[in-house]
């Protein structure tokens, strides 16, 4: 099975950051926007909306790499790539906050959690949801949760339609 | 799903039937919008200038200031202030048009209007300092109309005339805070100016502006609209009618009037009774013409003429989806663009009438006072002509239609409570003081798919009356409760707590009183003022055992209403909060600190039962402060108690 | 059916990843894993956390209990390799057993560099390299108030940090003029030093210990400026030397064991990986011993692929280190103190917030960098460096606060072939379609 991860169609992303908020809320204790902003520590997003150039944006998080540098770098051996799903997960309980994974990630997709609990943090593809919160939240439907071959197919079709 | 909270049986019936036919409604579109933008919900997206839009990250990792340096506090308060100004502008512009109609009557350039309450004309004219002796109605109408319009453009720093009605202490507070409403237009313009880029940035100062612009609505625009409507179209008297989609008739020409102004609806009601038009309708094989109201238009013609109510805000599309409506005539406010799409499935024609509110895909017939009756007849004729196009096989009219009593006003409540011979607020105040009635609660406002699609009002009112709180209602909340039978003595009295039940039975009124449309919230201000005047239950509005709620608020108008009650010393409960949650400072200021400033404050609670108890606790605190007698029948009705009727 | 015998010497990062790589291709051949330590595989890098009491022993084990069974490996723990006979392809181990092998991975790691100091044999003087070292230190911590740490590098300061977290008064003696002289520049090192000092760790630079005082037990340290202080514990962290003695004169050796692109030593059937190997350093442009966990894992893995017949090239690595003291994170890679006019430095610093970003360029290619506090984007820079991307287009925003991966997207389009990871193309695919 090929890794399903989150793809962003840059042509549709308007940089609204809705995915960031949905992500933070999904990873909060209360799962409610109005209550999540009152939590301490405040929940942290794992996806980032980035400015590429004028009027071009993207939302990007963990790429769940085929050959993940973070897995190799983790000296506590708490990051693993699931053989079946291809998902790269951090066993937060074992994380010692050495930031070796941050050191190695080519996409800056791993961040440090709030000071009270020093742990590495990244996209976990919302294990409790059928579809990750960011994908569901995207008002322009720019985000997709799928395997690379499906994404490529979609892109190819788009080009065909354009022609 | 938002639709699951919808409780109204008639609505559910239509929705289920039409959903299977692939017709889209407001609930579908609301669901399609989910999840909605968190920055917007929290009020921390600022679009005031072209350096923006700027957003504050509520989780603290991203930017905490806009490009200009505005914090979440500034952004949230500034946006709320602007929204309130828009709400205030809506009611006030509605009032201005009524002022123009008054002048037109004075000049004799109207068709189909007259002064229906000359007595009130004189009282209000006198209040405005006009000499009323030996003057004809027309002369007074002209003079009062001009005086009223002056309130809008007034430039001096004196207070609005009707705001002088407020209790002395409220006026003192306003003077101290410098939030006296001066000119109605001026307050709106000043608020817009203050919220411009680079202007007012201190949230406390901005909220001062919010309060002032809202007071210009409550004790200005809205109050003028109520009083002038009473003069023009008659002061309401308790009247029986029916509400819900079941008022539409299978075998009659069905006309729905939707919007807010009584000017249009009143004359259409008149025209619909024209014998020639009725004859024409019968020639088309019908049994006659049915006119039904929707939204606040419904309330205007309900309380004055007993016209049936087709439904509230969320039923505007559903009424068309019955397939039995020949024409829907709309004027201003709360008219959803979705009705045009709904109408496209059927023969229904939608006609807009206000130059200020045009809807894409909808026929427009300009409505003016000088040929109002002709226009109304023309519209009715269009409806009659459209009847043969009705596809009877597609018609679904739900059976549901509930009896109700409406038409209470600040003036006639005491008439009823006191009886013919001792018409005063004394019986109300006495029954509050002796613990038979706990207090008075306003349950008003919109119906909103975000909340219960109307059902929260019903749950809230039931909980309040069960706890012996007399409820006063306006707007779509009143219609929702009417549909559930809460506005008719026969069914509602039994749901009330013992004390309230005794009073309602003795007087013959329901425990929830329908006071009219959303501008008629001003009637609640006046009623509260009368309670203060009568004495014994508080020397100012903020001392009264009263509270208000608009749990399902939707329109900016609701914010203006809420704020003028808070600025006048009341507790106001909204279901979902105004868009200020992204600023802890603003949130705390309006929900906590405000009580020490105006005596009123905001609370936000989505659960109607919890909201009811917020209000009850507030009323109890006021009762305690006033050292009123303990409640007569508290034990038998607790939160978990069962309704006698269930 | 494959019936070879592979001997893996060392059961840390390199050895383990080598075993796992072999097993991806070859489920049947015999694998024998020799380690001189008695413990199941553990992470040496976690010892300072263990010392600090931040983690318990359970969390040191980096593989499951059944690891050797699951991977069908014969473990020879607590076993010394006596000799390697490269001619007959045999290994002789303690106890006299001789093992024939078809291929051998030499991942023996390193040992603490020994120092020659008067009084070094006294009780309470330790190197910190193995779990046994750590356990011995932990056992005596109760009776320790003051600690001397000799050395201002990663081992020394991590130990100092750990012991300070245990409530000990720690004195760090550093011979160089600043701490972390191997991995940071003066500015960033000073930020870390100040943070440590503010949190109660005493750091004395430009000094060396000349004698450990006391009778039997360590009681204090005498420094070369004549001053002395009391302490009951001395930890020596003066670096690591590769354990290459077993292969001396048998394969080509420089500073470490010289390996080719496939991590083969000068003997075809002997591979080397981890702290003993002198793998290619992409940023230095020459082979170098990078005694770091990620490089060891990578090298072990590549060696394992090659051992099991899957020809794989080791693309090289670079030096990289990460520390976090009292919540201040600092990560650096490659060349951080460049010497020469061909280098260019881009620096952004905010001392009051402990923020520091420095990127070293050579011919508009990144060759090194240091990030303090704001470390999240470290990997972005490092991979640009490793792939030798021409960054002239984004040079002016490279050390900007708002630099992020998004700014790299246009480069992926323009220098498509240099970005080798497929994930780069995933991120870039729709961007390419815009224009």
């Amino acid at each position: 099975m090929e890794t399903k991860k989150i793809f962003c169609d840059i042509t549709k992303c308007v940089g609204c950051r809705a995915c960031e908020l949905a992500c933070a809320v999904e990873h909060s204790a209360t799962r409610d926007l109005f209550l999540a902003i009152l939590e301490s520590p405040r929940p942290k997003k794992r996806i980032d909306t980035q400015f590429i150039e004028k009027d071009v944006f993207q939302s990007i998080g963990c790429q769940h790499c085929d050959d993940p540098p973070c897995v190799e770098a983790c000296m506590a051996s708490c990051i693993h790539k699931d053989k079946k799903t291809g998902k790269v997960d951090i066993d937060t309980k074992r994380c010692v906050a050495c930031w070796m994974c941050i050191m190695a990630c080519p996409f800056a997709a791993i961040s440090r959690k709030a000071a009270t609990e020093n742990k590495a943090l990244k996209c976990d593809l919302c294990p409790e949801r059928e579809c990750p919160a960011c994908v569901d939240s995207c008002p322009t439907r720019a985000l997709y949760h799928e395997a690379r071959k499906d994404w490529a197919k979609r892109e190819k079709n788009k080009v065909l339609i354009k022609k | 799903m938002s639709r699951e909270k919808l409780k109204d049986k008639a609505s559910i019936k239509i929705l289920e039937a039409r959903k299977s036919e692939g017709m889209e409604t407001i609930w579908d579109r609301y669901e399609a919008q989910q999840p909605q933008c968190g920055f917007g919900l929290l009020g921390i997206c600022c679009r005031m200038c072209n350096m923006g839009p700027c957003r504050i990250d509520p989780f603290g990792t991203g930017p905490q200031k806009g490009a200009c340096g505005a914090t979440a506090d500034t952004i949230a308060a500034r946006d709320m202030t602007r929204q309130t100004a828009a709400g205030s502008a809506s009611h006030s512009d509605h009032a201005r048009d009524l002022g123009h109609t008054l002048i037109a009557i004075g000049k004799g350039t109207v068709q189909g209007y007259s002064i229906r309450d000359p007595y009130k004309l004189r009282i209000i004219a006198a209040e405005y300092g006009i000499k009323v002796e030996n003057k004809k109605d027309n002369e007074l109408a002209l003079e009062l109309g001009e005086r009223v319009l002056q309130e809008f453009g007034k430039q001096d720093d004196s207070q609005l005339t009707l705001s002088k009605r407020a209790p002395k202490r409220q006026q003192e507070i306003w003077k101290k805070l410098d939030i006296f409403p001066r000119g109605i237009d001026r307050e709106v313009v000043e608020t817009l100016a203050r919220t411009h880029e680079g202007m007012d940035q201190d949230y406390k100062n901005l909220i001062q502006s919010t309060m002032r612009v809202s007071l210009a609505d409550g004790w200005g625009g809205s109050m003028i609209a109520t009083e002038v409507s009473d003069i023009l179209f008659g002061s309401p008297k308790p009247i029986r009618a029916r509400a819900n989609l079941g008022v539409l008739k299978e075998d009659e020409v069905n006309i729905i009037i939707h919007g807010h102004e009584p000017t249009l609806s009143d004359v259409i009601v008149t025209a619909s009774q024209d014998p020639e038009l009725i004859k024409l309708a019968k020639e088309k094989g019908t049994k006659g013409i049915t006119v039904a109201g929707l939204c606040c238009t419904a309330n205007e013609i309900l309380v004055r003429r007993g016209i049936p109510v087709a439904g509230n805000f969320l039923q505007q599309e559903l009424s068309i989806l019955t397939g039995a409506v020949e024409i829907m005539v709309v004027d201003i406010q709360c008219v959803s663009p979705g009705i045009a799409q709904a109408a496209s499935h059927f023969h229904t024609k939608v006609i807009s009438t206000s130059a200020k509110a045009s809807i894409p895909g909808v026929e427009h017939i300009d409505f003016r006072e000088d040929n109002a009756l002709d226009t109304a007849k023309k519209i009715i004729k269009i409806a009659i002509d459209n009847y043969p196009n009705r596809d009877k096989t597609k018609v679904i009219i739900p059976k549901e239609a509930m009896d109700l009593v409406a038409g209470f006003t600040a003036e006639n409540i005491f008439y009823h409570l006191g009886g013919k011979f001792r018409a005063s607020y004394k019986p109300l105040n006495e029954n509050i003081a002796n613990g038979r009635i706990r207090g008075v609660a306003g349950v008003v406002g919109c119906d909103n798919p975000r909340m219960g699609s109307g059902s929260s009002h019903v749950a809230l009112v039931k909980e309040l009356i069960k706890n012996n709180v007399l409820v006063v209602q306006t707007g779509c909340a009143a219609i929702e409760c009417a549909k559930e039978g809460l506005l008719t003595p026969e069914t509602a009295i039994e749901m009330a707590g013992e004390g309230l039940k005794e009073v309602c039975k003795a007087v013959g009124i329901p425990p929830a009183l329908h006071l009219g449309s959303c501008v008629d919230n001003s009637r609640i201000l006046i009623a509260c003022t009368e309670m203060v005047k009568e004495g014994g239950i508080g020397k100012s509005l903020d001392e009264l055992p009263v509270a208000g709620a608009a749990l399902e608020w939707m329109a900016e108008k609701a914010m203006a209403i809420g704020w003028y009650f808070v600025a006048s010393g009341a507790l106001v409960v909204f279901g979902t909060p105004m868009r200020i949650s992204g600023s802890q400072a603003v949130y705390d200021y309006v929900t906590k600190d405000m009580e020490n400033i105006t005596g009123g404050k905001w609370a936000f609670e989505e659960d109607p039962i919890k909201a009811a108890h917020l209000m009850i606790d507030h009323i109890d605190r006021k009762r305690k402060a006033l050292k009123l007698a303990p409640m007569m029948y508290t034990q038998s009705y607790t939160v978990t108690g069962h309704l006698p009727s269930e | 059916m494959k019936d070879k015998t592979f001997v893996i010497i060392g059961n840390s990062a390199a050895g383990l990843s080598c075993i796992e790589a072999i097993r991806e291709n070859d489920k049947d051949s015999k694998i024998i894993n020799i380690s001189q330590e008695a413990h199941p595989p553990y992470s040496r890098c976690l010892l300072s956390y263990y010392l600090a009491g931040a983690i318990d022993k359970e969390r040191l084990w980096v593989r499951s209990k059944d690891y050797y069974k699951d991977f069908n490996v014969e473990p020879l723990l607590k076993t010394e390799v006596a000799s390697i006979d490269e001619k007959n392809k045999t290994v002789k181990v303690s106890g006299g057993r001789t093992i024939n092998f078809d291929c051998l991975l030499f991942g023996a790691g390193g040992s603490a560099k020994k120092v020659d100091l008067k009084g070094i044999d006294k009780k309470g003087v330790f190197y910190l390299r193995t779990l046994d070292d750590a356990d011995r230190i932990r056992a005596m911590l109760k009776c320790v108030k003051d600690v001397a740490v000799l050395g201002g590098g990663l081992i020394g300061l991590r130990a100092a940090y750990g012991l300070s977290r245990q409530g000990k008064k720690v004195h760090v003696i550093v011979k160089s003029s600043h701490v972390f002289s191997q991995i940071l520049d003066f500015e960033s090192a000073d930020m870390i030093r100040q943070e440590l000092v503010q949190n109660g760790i005493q750091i004395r630079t430009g000094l060396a210990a000349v004698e450990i005082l006391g009778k039997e037990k360590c009681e204090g340290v005498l420094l070369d400026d004549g001053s002395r202080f009391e302490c009951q514990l001395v930890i020596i962290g003066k670096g690591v030397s590769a354990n290459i003695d077993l292969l001396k004169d048998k394969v080509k050796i420089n500073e470490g064991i010289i390996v080719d692109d496939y991590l083969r030593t000068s003997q075809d059937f002997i591979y080397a990986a981890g702290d003993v190997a002198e793998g290619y350093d992409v940023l230095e442009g020459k082979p170098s011993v990078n005694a770091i966990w990620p490089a060891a894992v990578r090298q072990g893995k590549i060696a394992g692929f090659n051992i099991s017949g899957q020809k794989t090239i080791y693309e090289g690595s670079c030096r990289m280190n990460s520390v976090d003291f009292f919540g201040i994170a600092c990560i650096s890679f490659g060349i951080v103190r460049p010497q020469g006019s061909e280098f260019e430095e881009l620096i952004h610093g905010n001392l009051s917030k402990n923020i520091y970003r420095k990127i070293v360029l050579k011919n508009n290619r990144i060759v090194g960098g240091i990030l303090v506090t704001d470390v999240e984007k470290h990997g972005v820079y490092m991979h640009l460096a490793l792939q030798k991307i021409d960054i002239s287009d984004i040079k002016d925003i490279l050390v900007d606060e708002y630099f992020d991966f998004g700014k790299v997207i246009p480069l992926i389009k323009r220098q498509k072939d240099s970005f080798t990871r497929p994930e780069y193309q995933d991120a870039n695919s729709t961007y390419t379609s815009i224009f």
Side-chain angles (χ1 to χ4, degrees), chain C residues 45-283:
Chain C
C45 309
L46 296 179
L47 290 178
S48 65
Y49 296 83
Y50 176 59
L51 206 55
I55 59 173
D56 54 24
K57 211 173 212 171
E58 280 310 302
R59 279 171 65 185
L60 293 173
W61 317 133
V62 288
R63 292 296 184 271
S64 71
K65 256 192 231 149
D66 299 328
Y67 177 76
Y68 285 120
K69 213 172 94 198
D70 292 347
F71 279 84
N72 185 21
V73 172
E74 181 191 336
L76 290 181
L77 304 183
K78 215 178 171 183
T79 304
E80 297 275 353
V81 175
S83 64
I84 297 170
D85 181 344
E86 80 281 11
K87 303 221 164 66
N88 297 312
K89 294 211 249 177
T90 58
V91 175
K92 197 182 238 174
V93 299
S94 53
R97 180 175 163 191
T98 302
I99 303 161
N100 291 305
F101 64 83
D102 293 287
C103 232
L104 179 136
L105 176 84
F106 193 70
S111 303
K113 270 189 191 152
K114 302 283 187 272
V115 289
D116 189 20
L117 192 63
K118 202 174 164 195
I120 192 125
D121 299 329
K122 293 200 167 63
K123 267 190 189 166
V125 181
F126 296 97
Y127 296 96
L128 176 55
R129 176 69 188 169
T130 64
L131 177 50
D132 293 337
D133 294 339
D135 273 335
R136 279 195 286 270
I137 296 170
R138 274 175 68 123
M140 70 168 293
L141 274 184
K142 257 190 217 157
C143 5
V144 170
K145 255 174 69 192
D146 297 83
V147 183
V149 171
L150 309 185
L154 270 168
I155 301 168
L157 287 180
R158 277 199 174 136
Y161 176 66
L163 290 167
S164 151
R165 296 284 298 261
Q166 289 275 39
K168 310 298 169 199
K169 175 86 192 142
V170 182
H171 309 256
V172 183
I173 310 302
V174 188
K175 203 166 188 179
S176 349
S177 58
H178 65 87
V179 296
F180 285 136
S181 55
Q182 304 292 315
I183 62 171
L184 296 181
D185 63 2
F186 178 76
E187 286 77 9
S188 51
D190 202 49
M191 284 180 172
I192 305 298
R193 184 190 62 80
Q194 282 187 23
E195 190 62 28
L196 292 171
V197 169
Q198 271 165 25
N199 282 283
I201 297 176
Q202 223 186 64
I203 296 179
R204 306 178 68 177
T205 50
L207 290 174
V210 288
E211 186 185 349
I212 291 166
L213 307 168
K215 286 176 194 151
E216 243 176 78
K217 284 189 209 162
C218 153
E219 286 167 17
V221 172
L222 174 68
L223 300 179
D224 58 359
D225 65 347
S227 66
R228 57 179 71 200
F229 60 89
E230 277 185 27
C231 65
Q232 299 78 44
L233 174 66
V234 175
I235 292 181
I236 301 165
K238 288 287 190 184
V240 176
S241 55
N243 294 335
I244 46 178
D245 291 351
L246 280 167
L247 286 178
K248 222 167 214 170
D249 306 325
K250 297 180 177 174
V251 298
K252 279 189 191 158
I253 290 175
N254 184 23
E255 205 180 309
I257 298 166
I258 293 172
V259 288
D260 66 6
D261 281 353
Y262 303 98
L263 296 169
R264 250 182 335 212
T265 63
S266 50
Q267 294 284 359
D268 268 1
F269 44 85
I270 298 180
Y271 289 75
D275 295 3
V276 293
E278 201 172 288
Y280 184 67
D281 186 310
V282 179
L283 303 182

Side-chain angles (χ1 to χ4, degrees), chain C residues 295-307:
Chain C
V297 172
R298 187 78 193 160
Q299 290 169 1
K301 192 170 176 178
I302 303 288
F305 285 147
N306 286 312
I307 289 170

Side-chain angles (χ1 to χ4, degrees), chain C residues 319 331-336 358-360 366-371 378:
Chain C
R319 184 201 61 75
I331 311 183
S332 79
F333 72 100
I335 302 165
V336 292
K358 166 163 148 179
I359 296 298
V360 181
I366 302 174
V367 291
I370 304 171
L371 300 179
H378 180 275

